[in-house]
Amino acid sequence: MPTRLFSARWRELDGALVAGEARLAMIPEKMRQLLPEVELDPSVISVLLCSSTVAFLGLKWMVKKLVQQKMQEARRNRVRALGQMEEAVQQFKQENPEVQASRILSLPLIELVKKLKEGSLSPESVLYTYMDKALEVNQDVNCVTDFIQECVHLLQEVRTQKKKGSLYGVPVSIKDPIGYEGHVSTCGLGQYLGYPEQEDSVLVKVLKNQGAIPFVKTNISQCLINYDCSNLIFGQTVNPLNHKKSPGGSSGGEGALIAGGGSILGFGTDIGGSIRLPSSFCGLCGLKPTGNRLSGPVSYVQTVTGMVGPMARDVDSLALCMRALLCDDMFRLDPTVPPLPFNEKVYSSSTPLRIGYYDTDGYFLLPPCMRRAVHETRMLLQEAGHMLIPFIPPRIDYVMNELFMKGLFADGGAALLEKLELETVDPNSCSQINCYKLPFLLKKILAFLTKPLFPRFSSYLNALCGVWSPKEFSKLHAALMIYRREFLSRWRDLDLDVVLCPVLGPAFTLGYPGRLIAAVSSTMLYNVLNFPAGVVPVTTVTEADEENLKHYTGHYDDPWDRRLRQAVEGAVGLPVAVQCVALPWQEELCLRFMKEVERLAQRQKKQTEDNLQHAGSQADAGRDLQNDVQRALSHTAGQSDMQAQASRTTVQTNMLMDVQRTLAQTDLAADVQSVVQTEASLMTLQTDVQKTGPQTDLLADLQPHVSPQSSGLDVQPDVQTQLTHPDSETMPCQPDVQTQLIQPDVQPDVQTKLTQCDMQPDVQTQPSQPDVQTQLTQCDMQPDVQTQPSQPDVQPDIQTQPTHPDIETQPCQPDVQTQPTPPDIETQPSHHDMQTDVPTA
């Protein structure tokens, strides 16, 4: 029975199929009956195809033209808005000339809020001061895209709030994609112009409830896919610290504005490092929270988590911001945000931490300065009592290509390219976009050909092919979960609290970020893992870092490594930062770790500055001492000249006196009358010299030399009056008489050496009458006599070097030296052999 029933039903089904086929066969026949038969000429078909192509291209050109017109209109609107902003600032300045802008701008966020709440500062003065500074910074670096005119009305609403919020009266800046009612979020694309937001984003609503005043929106990169900051609507933003460098991206406008002083608190978005990279390039503190800890405009990409986060000048500002945002308003307005208030206990804790660290991820070796920053911070943390443990993140090359790039461009970049069909690609993104535009087959071929020589680029091209089936996408998601468990397992095996690691930097030269997209491996890892991560500046690039960069080869020494070296050249003085990471939903611990790093880095910087200042003071003191000694030497040299003149006068006087006595005995006094006159003039000169040195003991030193009386016991008989042997030569100066001066205003150990050759300029004197030779008696003077004064402060023939190591007084260079005829005869008259009265002729 069942068999018969089954056979009957099978026959019915078969008959229905046959009838259906018959009806389908009749459809073309009926269509031919309804439509007239027309013979198509091939030329007509060609014309139709060409016309369709022309129409399509014309329509596309018109749409692009319309987009360009919108872009031009957007630029005009920006100029108009900034003009209104400047007019409002000038009007406020005229009405309130007493406002001290520099004082307001110098206050950190914590102190600013305190003064606003207590009333010592008004919200108006703070807002207009930052508006003025933002205009100045924008003129310098081109970072502001829109002025939020509603901030003036919001100012009045803030003043009427019954309860002053945590950010009462604080002007804040927001990144372009963060929605604000009545203002456009362009994402760097002209096609979004003309479509203003219908309502405020949840983040903006919470900021307003906490008393903050959003006043400007800031520039971004085209499509938010580049860590530069340039688009064809508003142009290129540059780094305020060095205009040849990029501020980072895609939140580069925020980084440039805050680093330039035009904003005290800003908000960016981060899907691969867009908060942390501008913070690193511009020397700021930035926090990428766990995905969905804050409500933001960036939604989940299946394997890469994006989020909104704060940027400021210090960690305390970030903590205050998170404390204000993690409130009931945030949890009520966005129920998808977990109701986790800010944990003040964790942030304020001082318990020592177990910190993992690494200076390279094994995929992209960062420049020497970034690795130096990690090791210096590690040493500071160890000295502060924390436990530092080496940590190696697993398989970063696999994460970069198979999880990050393939997950971000799972469709091979089709959605992105569709957005760019009606746009002109920004020049800074051309290299990146051109890779996305390659056909699937060509990507595979190039990946195969470049693998032996350029393995990283080969893997990158394979990743850009994306996944083209739901099965492959499910495998990708499963692989992500497996990697997260592997990473967490390694973290827990070491019992870590946080991790210290490098961040990409220092700031790249303009044009390089779009050509080194793979260099973001240090930041993209924690987007894939969905861990909170922050950036803290700790030092700056030094000349030694620049020198070490010349020897940088990277892990692969391939074109990317060489390009990275070129990108960061010329960065001396730019900030260098480190990255601090915690486990998911532990933003407070991450901030606490960042605060500890910031505190230690600032203390180290202060110590270094104090040491440099102390060294500079010592150097200045040394220079002052050297200048004083040089002046003393100059003064001493002048007095040495006077001493030399006085000494020469004394010697010549003694000679003339001896000759006078001899001539008097031979009745030749008349012949030496001229000599006596010469003696009188020399005595007058001696008196003048004595008057010029009242500040020194020069007079006392010269007194014994005025008229020494030779003793009969000191002179050998038959000594001729000729001072030198007739055939002797003038030799280089050999000092025979050295006089030491004690001067009150000169270093006591600086002594001046006088040579006898300075005292006798005309020593080689032969008697004019060869047959007349005057014999000196035992009481007469012997030539080349070394006179030793009796004063205790004068020591003959002793060369005393100055005690200062860098100062040495050399003996003067005389013109003539007196060489005694009998070299073995020297007479040193004692004190009792010298006369105090000058004998006259």
Side-chain angles (χ1 to χ4, degrees):
M1 183 67 183
T3 304
R4 294 178 182 176
L5 181 60
F6 176 77
S7 300
R9 290 182 177 178
W10 176 257
R11 286 193 295 269
E12 291 177 1
L13 181 60
D14 186 56
L17 290 174
V18 171
E21 291 177 357
R23 293 192 188 97
L24 290 174
M26 292 174 62
I27 290 176
E29 185 66 25
K30 290 182 178 180
M31 292 293 295
R32 282 194 294 268
Q33 292 176 0
L34 294 174
L35 295 176
E37 295 183 2
V38 178
E39 294 183 2
L40 295 178
D41 190 354
S43 59
V44 175
I45 297 175
S46 300
V47 171
L48 290 175
L49 291 175
C50 292
S51 301
S52 301
T53 304
V54 171
F56 174 77
L57 294 176
L59 180 62
K60 190 173 181 179
W61 177 84
M62 291 178 61
V63 172
K64 283 191 173 183
K65 191 71 174 178
L66 180 62
V67 170
Q68 291 178 358
Q69 291 177 357
K70 286 184 177 181
M71 293 167 62
Q72 294 176 358
E73 183 64 23
R75 299 188 195 104
R76 289 192 292 267
N77 290 338
R78 180 176 73 155
V79 173
R80 190 181 306 112
L82 294 178
Q84 296 174 357
M85 185 176 174
E86 186 172 5
E87 290 177 1
V89 169
Q90 295 301 325
Q91 182 179 356
F92 177 80
K93 284 184 175 181
Q94 294 175 0
E95 297 175 355
N96 303 272
E98 73 282 357
V99 175
Q100 299 179 356
S102 59
R103 174 171 170 264
I104 294 174
L105 294 172
S106 65
L107 292 174
L109 181 59
I110 300 293
E111 295 184 18
L112 180 65
V113 171
K114 180 180 178 181
K115 292 184 178 296
L116 284 168
K117 287 185 175 182
E118 67 185 16
S120 59
L121 285 177
S122 66
E124 290 88 354
S125 62
V126 175
L127 174 62
Y128 284 103
T129 296
Y130 272 98
M131 286 170 58
D132 186 25
K133 186 63 176 179
L135 287 169
E136 178 185 339
V137 175
N138 178 70
Q139 188 175 6
D140 190 38
V141 300
N142 185 37
C143 57
V144 176
T145 61
D146 194 8
F147 169 54
I148 302 175
Q149 298 92 338
E150 293 83 355
C151 66
V152 179
H153 304 291
L154 183 60
L155 187 64
Q156 304 304 323
E157 296 179 6
V158 167
R159 294 182 65 88
T160 59
Q161 287 180 349
K162 295 181 180 180
K163 182 180 179 181
K164 295 180 179 179
S166 300
L167 298 175
Y168 172 75
V170 176
V172 300
S173 53
I174 57 177
K175 187 178 178 179
D176 174 271
I178 299 176
Y180 197 101
E181 182 180 359
H183 294 264
V184 177
S185 298
T186 66
C187 292
L189 298 173
Q191 57 191 284
Y192 292 138
L193 294 170
Y195 301 97
E197 298 287 343
Q198 300 301 313
E199 63 176 349
D200 291 336
S201 62
V202 172
L203 177 68
V204 171
K205 291 178 180 178
V206 176
L207 286 172
K208 288 181 178 180
N209 292 341
Q210 291 293 330
I213 305 174
F215 72 108
V216 290
K217 301 187 80 172
T218 53
N219 202 20
I220 55 174
S221 61
Q222 190 177 46
C223 290
L224 309 177
I225 60 169
N226 192 338
Y227 59 98
D228 202 346
C229 189
S230 174
N231 59 75
L232 295 179
I233 304 175
F234 303 113
Q236 173 77 57
T237 300
V238 298
N239 194 314
L241 307 178
N242 186 337
H243 291 181
K244 296 180 180 180
K245 299 291 184 176
S246 169
S250 59
S251 307
E254 281 296 317
L257 182 62
I258 299 172
S263 176
I264 196 170
L265 179 64
F267 292 88
T269 59
D270 193 311
I271 200 172
S274 295
I275 289 175
R276 290 160 289 164
L277 293 177
S279 298
S280 173
F281 285 16
C282 297
L284 303 175
C285 297
L287 174 67
K288 178 204 79 68
T290 308
N292 219 38
R293 182 76 193 263
L294 298 176
S295 179
V298 181
S299 59
Y300 278 88
V301 178
Q302 187 67 28
T303 59
V304 183
T305 309
M307 66 290 296
V308 65
M311 302 168 64
R313 302 173 195 168
D314 54 66
V315 179
D316 281 336
S317 299
L318 301 180
L320 176 62
C321 175
M322 294 296 293
R323 192 181 296 115
L325 293 178
L326 295 176
C327 60
D328 293 337
D329 291 334
M330 175 71 74
F331 310 142
R332 176 177 53 84
L333 293 172
D334 189 352
T336 64
V337 175
L340 298 174
F342 190 82
N343 192 331
E344 192 67 40
K345 182 179 179 181
V346 173
Y347 178 67
S348 58
S349 174
S350 58
T351 306
L353 300 173
R354 289 181 59 87
I355 304 169
Y357 72 92
Y358 62 91
D359 64 353
T360 179
D361 56 19
Y363 180 75
F364 227 111
L365 184 65
L366 297 184
C369 59
M370 312 309 291
R371 290 176 279 132
R372 173 179 62 84
V374 171
H375 290 290
E376 289 181 356
T377 305
R378 172 183 63 85
M379 295 177 64
L380 293 176
L381 289 168
Q382 284 179 334
E383 293 173 359
H386 301 282
M387 178 68 70
L388 274 295
I389 304 165
F391 177 78
I392 302 176
R395 301 187 295 159
I396 298 300
D397 54 344
Y398 169 79
V399 179
M400 182 66 192
N401 296 309
E402 296 300 321
L403 299 181
F404 180 74
M405 294 303 300
K406 188 172 285 189
L408 194 61
F409 300 104
D411 59 353
L416 174 64
L417 296 176
E418 183 180 355
K419 295 292 183 183
L420 294 174
E421 283 182 358
L422 303 178
E423 303 279 344
T424 302
V425 178
D426 185 82
N428 291 321
S429 301
C430 283
S431 176
Q432 184 179 354
I433 298 301
N434 289 337
C435 289
Y436 303 156
K437 288 182 177 180
L438 294 175
F440 177 84
L441 183 59
L442 184 56
K443 290 177 185 176
K444 288 293 185 181
I445 294 174
L446 289 177
F448 176 77
L449 295 177
T450 57
K451 188 173 183 178
L453 300 177
F454 201 168
R456 285 194 296 184
F457 183 67
S458 174
S459 301
Y460 175 72
L461 287 176
N462 272 323
L464 291 182
C465 294
V467 293
W468 290 95
S469 70
K471 183 178 180 180
E472 288 186 13
F473 196 82
S474 298
K475 289 181 179 180
L476 177 63
H477 183 69
L480 173 61
M481 295 297 103
I482 293 173
Y483 181 79
R484 284 179 179 172
R485 287 196 295 268
E486 179 184 355
F487 192 94
L488 285 171
S489 176
R490 185 168 297 189
W491 184 297
R492 288 168 178 163
D493 289 342
L494 298 174
D495 192 22
L496 301 179
D497 296 315
V498 289
V499 163
L500 173 71
C501 58
V503 63
L504 182 63
F508 278 24
T509 303
L510 294 174
Y512 277 91
R515 302 162 59 192
L516 278 170
I517 189 63
V520 300
S521 61
S522 60
T523 54
M524 68 83 206
L525 172 64
Y526 299 104
N527 291 91
V528 172
L529 293 170
N530 194 22
F531 284 15
V535 163
V536 182
V538 294
T539 183
T540 57
V541 182
T542 64
E543 292 287 352
D545 295 327
E546 196 75 8
E547 186 66 25
N548 292 333
L549 182 64
K550 297 178 181 179
H551 309 290
Y552 170 88
T553 57
H555 287 306
Y556 294 85
D557 196 18
D558 58 14
W560 280 355
D561 285 330
R562 292 189 286 271
R563 193 173 297 167
L564 177 66
R565 182 176 65 247
Q566 297 169 0
V568 299
E569 287 177 344
V572 174
L574 292 182
V576 175
V578 295
Q579 187 172 203
C580 305
V581 184
L583 291 174
W585 312 107
Q586 295 185 11
E587 281 73 18
E588 297 87 349
L589 181 58
C590 184
L591 287 169
R592 183 250 166 133
F593 181 34
M594 293 170 64
K595 178 64 178 177
E596 181 73 0
V597 170
E598 180 187 54
R599 181 183 67 84
L600 295 174
Q602 290 178 352
R603 187 181 68 179
Q604 179 70 17
K605 180 180 179 182
K606 186 176 184 303
Q607 291 178 354
T608 303
E609 291 176 351
D610 292 342
N611 293 337
L612 291 176
Q613 184 177 4
H614 182 64
S617 300
Q618 290 183 340
D620 293 340
R623 285 192 293 268
D624 293 341
L625 179 61
Q626 183 177 2
N627 294 334
D628 292 342
V629 172
Q630 289 177 353
R631 287 193 297 269
L633 290 176
S634 300
H635 187 63
T636 304
Q639 292 187 350
S640 299
D641 294 340
M642 292 186 293
Q643 280 186 300
Q645 183 68 23
S647 300
R648 287 193 293 269
T649 303
T650 301
V651 173
Q652 291 178 1
T653 301
N654 294 336
M655 292 173 58
L656 289 172
M657 290 166 56
D658 294 337
V659 172
Q660 182 180 3
R661 286 193 297 270
T662 304
L663 292 178
Q665 296 176 359
T666 57
D667 297 330
L668 295 177
D671 296 335
V672 296
Q673 185 66 33
S674 60
V675 177
V676 174
Q677 295 177 355
T678 304
E679 175 190 359
S681 62
L682 291 174
M683 294 298 296
T684 302
L685 178 61
Q686 176 182 356
T687 304
D688 294 338
V689 171
Q690 292 175 352
K691 293 180 180 180
T692 59
Q695 297 178 356
T696 65
D697 295 333
L698 180 61
L699 182 59
D701 294 338
L702 295 177
Q703 187 65 31
H705 298 283
V706 175
S707 57
Q709 184 178 4
S710 302
S711 174
L713 301 176
D714 296 334
V715 183
Q716 298 293 332
D718 301 336
V719 179
Q720 297 180 356
T721 57
Q722 62 180 9
L723 299 181
T724 58
H725 197 274
D727 55 354
S728 62
E729 296 180 358
T730 301
M731 302 298 293
C733 176
Q734 299 294 331
D736 295 326
V737 180
Q738 299 177 354
T739 304
Q740 180 180 9
L741 295 180
I742 308 297
Q743 186 173 352
D745 57 347
V746 184
Q747 298 295 331
D749 52 358
V750 178
Q751 300 175 356
T752 306
K753 304 173 184 177
L754 298 178
T755 61
Q756 185 174 354
C757 56
D758 289 333
M759 302 178 184
Q760 300 178 6
D762 303 319
V763 292
Q764 294 184 1
T765 306
Q766 296 287 345
S768 58
Q769 299 296 331
D771 54 347
V772 179
Q773 295 183 352
T774 304
Q775 301 291 332
L776 295 179
T777 63
Q778 290 184 348
C779 61
D780 295 333
M781 186 186 107
Q782 182 180 358
D784 199 13
V785 176
Q786 296 186 358
T787 304
Q788 183 176 4
S790 61
Q791 281 73 6
D793 57 343
V794 180
Q795 299 293 333
D797 296 335
I798 297 177
Q799 298 182 2
T800 305
Q801 297 297 333
T803 59
H804 196 284
D806 297 332
I807 302 171
E808 181 176 357
T809 304
Q810 298 294 335
C812 59
Q813 299 295 331
D815 297 326
V816 183
Q817 178 188 10
T818 303
Q819 183 175 0
T821 305
D824 56 345
I825 300 176
E826 289 186 359
T827 303
Q828 296 184 352
S830 61
H831 182 68
H832 62 81
D833 294 330
M834 298 183 181
Q835 297 179 355
T836 57
D837 297 330
V838 179
T840 56

